[in-house]
Amino acid sequence: MPVNLSANAISSINGGDVNSKPLVQVLDIKLIGSTQERYRLLLSDSVETQHAMLATQLNDRVKSGRVRKGSVIQLIEYICSTVQNRKIIVVLNMETIIPDCDVIGNPIGLSELDSVPQKQAPDMTSRSLPSINNNNVGAQYSARTSFTHGKTSSFQNQSNNTQSFRPTIQPPYQPPPNYKNHGAIMRNEAPARIIPIAALNPYQGRWAIKARVTAKGDLRRYNNARGDGKVFSFDLLDSDGGEIRVTCFNAVVDRFYDTIEVGKVYVISKGSLKPAQKNFNHLKNEWEIFLETTSSVDLCPDEDSSIPRQQFSFRPISEIENAESNSILDVIGVVVTVNPSVPILRKNGMETQRRILNLKDQSGRSVELTLWGDFCNREGQQLQEMVENGISPILAVKAGKVNDFSGKSISTISATQLFINPDFPEANTLRDWFDRGGKDTASHSISRELTPGSSKNEIRKSLAQIKEEGLGRSDKPDWITVKATISFIKTDTFCYTACPLMIGDRQCNKKVTKSGNSRWLCDRYLLQVQVQDHTGLTWVTAFQETGEEILGCSAKEMYMLKYEAQDDLRFVEIIRNCLFTEFLLKLKIKEEMYGDEQKVKITVVKAEKVNYSDESRFLFDMISKSHLR
């Protein structure tokens, strides 16, 4: 069956057409790009040809064979952009009409037509068109690209016969127009066409998107070889569900930081697109927008209900067990426990707050969620008050980070958003399950039992097994969890004095010695603790954060009580309150060199008092598993 391609489709697209949805044929496909796969097509309308770039979201059409050499396709969404002074069609959406077909017509590339010597003109030109000057010859050739192939062949054959020329009379020379003092040449200031976020690509010259701000990052300052700077970013969501991150630096921060508000809708244009840095950008978009001083950000005064306020992709807690470390995901669950907020000294010497809570869902699993910074005193405090009052709230976590340190857990990052008792269908389903008996269902914690390099049956161990199984003597450390009771704490060397000086944005923390009458300003825990269970006892070491989890106060407070206030009664009282208290201790076990001797060092990486309700559920779960065997 004969197929008719859309006449003059290539010329129309080059002229700015974006709505005709023409039928064209794919003459060639070439894979280009070393870091990112992109396909370049050669399209034909049976007369002309033009190169086109395929949007990366359509790469699977080529990989699956739905689009190949000879395919007749219909262009649904497309634009024509100028790249390095060459026009190229960017295909954003298309449909395959005929998967395989012979070449239709006799297409000629535009570059081939331009290569024809302009000094040779056929006899038919002077008969069919009025006399022209030499400056218009190129225009004639361009106008003749719509001729049929037969006429074009005749046109080219006659050009080789110099005797067929008839001289043309050139008009007298006229100087080019003088635009001096006629005013500035006006630029095209018409607003750019609004396109979906999914259609954005670096080959577009002018674009605009209309989207809602779903998240706004904090203003951060940095220092590198180029000097000091500042940066912030925000995330956008449009009515088609497309998401993209927008980043601003330095002077652009001053323009837009106070303008951008979460939940508002904006029209944004005149930014540049660069590949997204996936180490810092979790959105499902290969591009990221960088705003410039010439960029435009306009607030839409009217609410656009077609753009959702937020977009979630919830994962059951059971799937988090197999999620990659550092991956970003959405999760929703019922808050069953909330621990108090505790101060934590980060590696950079800055103090922050940390709060741990537990979520469970219908998958029969529970997971720890660690809140950092402002989340602890904002949403964390609200959740703690609700749980203490007997309310089990639903919590939706947008953009939580997966950690696999001593089991799988979730933690907040700067882009995380928390929603308490949201009005989502998923939240309503979860609430109905919990109220109908889900609250009494035992759940298996994927945070407390899973440890890197261990199987599920080898996670919870006894103290005797550390020696019996030779833990810590391999190249990599072993990570285990034990339930043990603190039986003794050394008080003569419970802390060390750390250097308080700042190196850049972090504290030194190296051990220092007292000099003269100067006072030490910073102290860190170095607790030597004896722990025991039903199988035996051992010594473990707890540093700053875990020392605070065990004693309940900072090393500096303890140092002041013992050496400054000399309040031995209060000091001893704090120590005694910890003795014979049962903890769940997550241990790192590694053999290290001490002088010429190798010794197994056991370090506490996390300590929490036993929650007997959770522990009972864990034991019941272990009993049920043993019966299944």
Side-chain angles (χ1 to χ4, degrees):
M1 183 180 69
V3 180
N4 294 322
L5 302 180
S6 301
N8 302 323
I10 300 298
S11 298
S12 299
I13 294 174
N14 284 330
D17 167 67
V18 292
N19 298 313
S20 62
K21 299 183 179 179
L23 288 181
V24 294
Q25 186 177 25
V26 179
L27 299 185
D28 191 29
I29 301 176
K30 185 176 181 181
L31 178 63
I32 62 174
S34 56
T35 58
Q36 185 178 41
E37 287 188 349
R38 297 194 71 89
Y39 288 97
R40 186 176 68 190
L41 312 181
L42 183 63
L43 302 181
S44 163
D45 61 4
S46 78
V47 176
E48 297 182 48
T49 59
Q50 179 84 4
H51 280 116
M53 292 299 300
L54 196 64
T56 53
Q57 65 263 27
L58 301 179
N59 283 357
D60 64 303
R61 308 281 183 94
V62 176
K63 294 178 179 179
S64 62
R66 286 187 289 170
V67 175
R68 52 185 182 267
K69 292 182 182 180
S71 296
V72 176
I73 62 174
Q74 182 178 23
L75 303 182
I76 306 299
E77 293 182 58
Y78 52 93
I79 58 173
C80 187
S81 297
T82 301
V83 179
Q84 296 179 350
N85 298 322
R86 294 179 57 191
K87 286 194 173 183
I88 190 167
I89 301 170
V90 180
V91 181
L92 307 174
N93 195 7
M94 65 179 179
E95 293 293 338
T96 302
I97 306 301
I98 301 177
D100 198 3
C101 183
D102 293 334
V103 176
I104 300 172
N106 293 283
I108 299 175
L110 294 177
S111 59
E112 181 180 341
L113 289 175
D114 291 340
S115 66
V116 177
Q118 295 187 7
K119 66 180 181 180
Q120 298 180 351
D123 192 25
M124 60 176 290
T125 306
S126 59
R127 291 196 300 269
S128 59
L129 292 175
S131 297
I132 56 173
N133 58 35
N134 290 341
N135 295 331
N136 290 332
V137 174
Q140 289 185 43
Y141 288 136
S142 177
R144 297 209 170 266
T145 56
S146 60
F147 287 178
T148 63
H149 178 67
K151 291 183 180 179
T152 305
S153 299
S154 173
F155 175 83
Q156 292 173 338
N157 290 336
Q158 292 183 24
S159 67
N160 294 327
N161 186 2
T162 57
Q163 296 180 357
S164 65
F165 276 99
R166 294 201 315 178
T168 57
I169 301 174
Q170 293 197 51
Y173 171 78
Q174 293 181 358
N178 184 6
Y179 294 102
K180 186 176 181 180
N181 298 328
H182 285 203
I185 299 175
M186 296 297 293
R187 297 175 60 186
N188 182 8
E189 295 295 342
R193 184 169 64 99
I194 293 178
I195 63 174
I197 287 177
L200 285 174
N201 65 81
Y203 300 99
Q204 292 161 310
R206 302 176 67 241
W207 54 263
I209 56 174
K210 183 179 181 182
R212 188 186 304 277
V213 177
T214 58
K216 179 182 177 181
D218 296 330
L219 177 61
R220 295 180 288 112
R221 300 185 183 275
Y222 62 87
N223 179 276
N224 56 27
R226 298 180 181 178
D228 296 334
K230 51 188 175 181
V231 60
F232 92 101
S233 60
F234 56 95
D235 297 341
L236 296 176
L237 171 67
D238 69 5
S239 57
D240 293 323
E243 293 182 289
I244 195 167
R245 175 157 296 176
V246 183
T247 301
C248 304
F249 285 93
N250 301 324
V252 185
V253 173
D254 299 331
R255 281 194 62 195
F256 298 124
Y257 184 77
D258 294 331
T259 302
I260 299 300
E261 295 184 37
V262 175
K264 298 293 181 68
V265 177
Y266 299 85
V267 174
I268 298 176
S269 61
K270 300 178 183 177
S272 61
L273 273 82
K274 298 180 181 179
Q277 298 180 352
K278 288 304 180 182
N279 291 340
F280 310 100
N281 188 342
H282 66 278
L283 299 182
K284 296 178 180 179
N285 196 315
E286 62 180 310
W287 305 111
E288 186 171 339
I289 297 175
F290 287 79
L291 294 185
E292 302 163 348
T293 54
T294 58
S295 299
S296 173
V297 178
D298 299 317
L299 175 66
C300 297
D302 300 326
E303 172 63 24
D304 190 340
S305 58
S306 67
I307 304 178
R309 304 197 70 83
Q310 190 57 265
Q311 182 171 261
F312 293 90
S313 181
F314 291 121
R315 300 273 296 275
I317 293 177
S318 59
E319 291 186 8
I320 300 176
E321 287 187 80
N322 301 318
E324 292 185 5
S325 178
N326 298 323
S327 60
I328 306 297
L329 49 75
D330 304 338
V331 65
I332 187 170
V334 183
V335 180
V336 291
T337 61
V338 181
N339 292 344
S341 180
V342 296
I344 296 294
L345 196 64
R346 291 186 178 273
K347 293 181 179 179
N348 62 4
M350 305 296 291
E351 187 176 90
T352 187
Q353 294 292 314
R354 185 187 71 183
R355 186 191 292 269
I356 297 175
L357 52 87
N358 279 273
L359 302 177
K360 67 182 294 186
D361 66 3
Q362 306 100 310
S363 67
R365 295 289 187 266
S366 64
V367 65
E368 281 187 358
L369 171 64
T370 302
L371 308 183
W372 292 99
D374 293 337
F375 288 112
C376 296
N377 297 326
R378 196 169 57 225
E379 291 88 350
Q381 185 62 35
Q382 182 181 351
L383 290 169
Q384 182 177 0
E385 293 173 357
M386 296 175 75
V387 171
E388 288 176 349
N389 291 326
I391 302 172
S392 297
I394 304 294
L395 181 65
V397 182
K398 173 70 175 178
K401 181 180 179 181
V402 177
N403 303 309
D404 63 359
F405 180 71
S406 191
K408 290 293 176 68
S409 61
I410 304 294
S411 64
T412 60
I413 57 177
S414 59
T416 301
Q417 292 178 277
L418 303 180
F419 300 86
I420 300 175
N421 287 331
D423 188 15
F424 302 151
E426 296 88 348
N428 298 332
T429 301
L430 191 60
R431 169 58 65 194
D432 184 63
W433 165 82
F434 188 78
D435 291 342
R436 288 177 179 269
K439 60 183 177 182
D440 300 321
T441 303
S443 59
H444 178 77
S445 174
I446 67 172
S447 303
R448 185 166 299 168
E449 295 180 27
L450 292 180
T451 308
S454 303
S455 66
K456 294 182 180 180
N457 295 329
E458 297 173 343
I459 301 306
R460 183 75 71 88
K461 293 187 179 293
S462 65
L463 294 178
Q465 287 177 292
I466 296 176
K467 185 175 182 180
E468 292 171 358
E469 299 179 10
L471 299 181
R473 298 189 180 277
S474 59
D475 293 336
K476 295 183 179 180
D478 287 304
W479 308 81
I480 66 169
T481 300
V482 299
K483 183 175 69 172
T485 301
I486 294 178
S487 57
F488 187 78
I489 299 176
K490 287 186 178 181
T491 58
D492 52 346
T493 57
F494 70 92
C495 71
Y496 71 93
T497 50
C499 175
L501 297 179
M502 302 299 293
I503 301 176
D505 61 346
R506 62 180 293 273
Q507 189 171 322
C508 175
N509 281 334
K510 290 183 178 179
K511 187 174 182 179
V512 295
T513 56
K514 194 170 184 179
S515 175
N517 295 324
S518 61
R519 298 179 61 188
W520 290 315
L521 300 178
C522 182
D523 302 276
R524 293 178 62 82
Y525 276 126
L526 182 60
L527 286 182
Q528 299 295 325
V529 182
Q530 188 182 66
V531 296
Q532 65 180 46
D533 65 3
H534 62 288
T535 65
L537 56 84
T538 190
W539 286 94
V540 298
T541 302
F543 290 98
Q544 181 68 4
E545 291 82 3
T546 50
E548 291 179 357
E549 290 171 347
I550 292 172
L551 293 179
C553 59
S554 69
K556 189 172 184 177
E557 292 176 36
M558 293 292 286
Y559 181 86
M560 289 296 204
L561 284 174
K562 185 174 178 66
Y563 297 107
E564 299 292 337
Q566 295 185 352
D567 190 348
D568 292 337
L569 291 177
R570 176 60 181 154
F571 179 85
V572 171
E573 181 185 3
I574 294 174
I575 298 296
R576 284 179 175 173
N577 287 338
C578 297
L579 298 180
F580 306 106
T581 302
E582 207 168 21
F583 282 85
L584 277 174
L585 303 174
K586 298 184 180 181
L587 307 177
K588 174 186 176 184
I589 308 172
K590 184 73 175 73
E591 193 173 51
E592 297 182 359
M593 291 292 296
Y594 289 89
D596 297 330
E597 184 181 359
Q598 281 192 328
K599 292 184 178 180
V600 174
K601 181 180 179 181
I602 305 175
T603 304
V604 182
V605 295
K606 189 173 184 181
E608 58 181 8
K609 292 182 179 180
V610 173
N611 183 312
Y612 291 102
S613 175
D614 289 346
E615 185 66 11
S616 298
R617 293 191 185 97
F618 169 75
L619 294 175
F620 278 125
D621 189 47
M622 295 298 291
I623 293 171
S624 62
K625 286 182 179 179
S626 63
H627 284 316
L628 292 176
R629 297 193 189 101

